[in-house]
Structure formats: structure tokens, C-alpha cells
Amino acid sequence: TWVTVVGSLHGSLFLLYGAAVLLVAPVARWRPATTFLALVASVLPFGTFLWEAWHKRQLSSGGSGAAEVSRR
């Protein structure tokens, strides 16, 4: 049924988001607290949107967990 298809897609995207956070965190040199907040955001309704807005503000202000990746 469509519930199985949509549920599987939703679960797969959830796991991909978690994996992406864990892969990006060391490359972007996120502090553990920043990584933890990104992972917590994945279980809150619309949490990833709120986290992204917060993180963008942190990046633009040079705040914590906002180390930029050096380009080679």
C-alpha cells in the first residue's frame, strides 16, 4: 500500500540525514554540541528546518560550531 511506500521513503530519508550529519560533522569541524543538536533536530517535527536556520545564523555571525572548511 501507499503507507508502506511512503513510510519506507520517510525512514530511508531519516537514516540518510543522520548519516549525512555524522559524515559532515568532522569535515566541517563541528563541535560535539553542534552535531548533537543536528541529530536531535532530526527527531523533532520540522526540527531540521529550525536547526538549519540557527546554523546559518551561527555561520554568518562566526559563532560556535561554525568553523569553515578550508578549500584546497
Side-chain angles (χ1 to χ4, degrees):
T1 67
W2 67 273
V3 174
T4 303
V5 173
V6 173
S8 296
L9 179 61
H10 182 266
S12 297
L13 291 174
F14 174 78
L15 293 174
L16 283 172
Y17 177 82
V21 166
L22 294 175
L23 291 172
V24 167
V27 174
R29 293 187 222 127
W30 288 351
R31 292 179 15 205
T34 303
T35 305
F36 178 74
L37 288 174
L39 291 171
V40 167
S42 70
V43 296
L44 300 173
F46 303 104
T48 55
F49 298 108
L50 296 172
W51 183 86
E52 183 180 357
W54 171 81
H55 191 65
K56 280 184 179 181
R57 281 195 308 273
Q58 292 294 311
L59 285 173
S60 65
S61 69
S64 63
E68 291 193 24
V69 176
S70 61
R71 298 205 173 179
R72 297 175 193 193

